[in-house]
Amino acid sequence: MTTPPKPDHAAMTEVELSSSSSPPPDVDGDDTSPGPDLTEEFGDDGSGNPLEEQVLPMPDDVEDMDPLEYSVRKVLPIPRAYFWQTGNTEVSLRTKVWHRTVATLGTLLRAAEFAGEVVAHVFGLNESRYQYVMDSMDKEDWERARKVNEEREREWAELRAEREVGKEIGVDSTAL
C-alpha cells in the first residue's frame, strides 16, 4: 500500500499569495526588476529617501489633534510605509526596530481603547445617569414628562424675558 505524496506547503503558499496579474516568481533568484511602485499608495515626500525612511508630516490642524497622539508624534515619528508593506527587508536594524515599535504601540493603543470601551459598557458608564428610569417609563409617563418639560421651558423663557426687561430699565435682576 502506497501513501499519496504530501503536498508542498511552501509551494502552495507561494501560489496562494501570488495574484494572477503578477508574473510568476523568479526561481533562479536573478530577478532584477524593481519592486512595485508604492508611492501612489503611501505618498512620497520628495526627499529621495527610501519610502521606509520617510515620515508622515504633522497635520495642519494640531489644535484638533488628540493630546496623546500629538505628544507621541513629537517624540516618535510615524513612518509613511512599514518595511513589511513595501517588501524591502534590506533596511537597517534601526529602521526595523523603529517600524516594529510604532506598529506595536499602535496595536497596544487600539487594544487598550477597546478594553476601555468594554469596561465602560459593563459598568454602564456609556448610558445616561437615569437610564434605568427612562427604560421603565411607559407612554403615559413619557407624555407627563413631556408636558412638565414644556411647562418648565415656558417658565424659564418668562424668567429670561423679565431679566432682560429689568436690564433694559436698569433694575437689579435679583430684585425681580
Side-chain angles (χ1 to χ4, degrees):
M1 183 176 208
T2 60
T3 60
K6 292 183 179 179
D8 185 12
H9 293 293
M12 287 175 50
T13 310
E14 188 69 35
V15 171
E16 290 171 2
L17 292 177
S18 65
S19 65
S20 60
S21 63
S22 64
D26 187 17
V27 178
D28 300 334
D30 314 351
D31 190 15
T32 56
S33 64
D37 185 25
L38 300 173
T39 55
E40 290 180 19
E41 184 178 348
F42 297 108
D44 190 359
D45 65 358
S47 65
N49 293 334
L51 193 59
E52 298 84 10
E53 299 288 332
Q54 298 175 14
V55 297
L56 288 175
M58 286 290 275
D60 295 332
D61 55 349
V62 177
E63 296 83 24
D64 297 334
M65 186 183 279
D66 179 41
L68 179 64
E69 181 184 358
Y70 175 75
S71 59
V72 168
R73 286 187 70 171
K74 281 183 70 174
V75 176
L76 186 68
I78 310 297
R80 273 193 191 273
Y82 297 112
F83 71 91
W84 58 86
Q85 291 173 319
T86 62
N88 183 9
T89 58
E90 302 297 323
V91 295
S92 67
L93 179 63
R94 178 180 176 175
T95 302
K96 288 181 180 181
V97 169
W98 169 44
H99 287 198
R100 292 286 183 198
T101 302
V102 170
T104 303
L105 289 174
T107 302
L108 288 173
L109 179 63
R110 285 187 294 278
E113 285 180 345
F114 176 75
E117 289 175 5
V118 169
V119 168
H121 180 72
V122 166
F123 287 114
L125 300 176
N126 293 340
E127 296 179 353
S128 66
R129 187 172 182 179
Y130 298 107
Q131 183 67 39
Y132 67 95
V133 174
M134 292 188 285
D135 290 342
S136 65
M137 292 173 64
D138 57 3
K139 285 186 177 185
E140 294 172 2
D141 294 333
W142 278 107
E143 187 60 31
R144 271 195 309 263
R146 187 185 61 74
K147 288 179 182 177
V148 168
N149 189 34
E150 289 174 358
E151 180 63 30
R152 287 182 182 169
E153 288 292 328
R154 197 172 21 257
E155 289 173 4
W156 274 107
E158 290 173 5
L159 181 63
R160 280 193 298 271
E162 288 175 5
R163 287 187 177 169
E164 288 206 15
V165 169
K167 284 182 185 177
E168 290 176 5
I169 59 175
V171 177
D172 185 22
S173 63
T174 56
L176 296 177

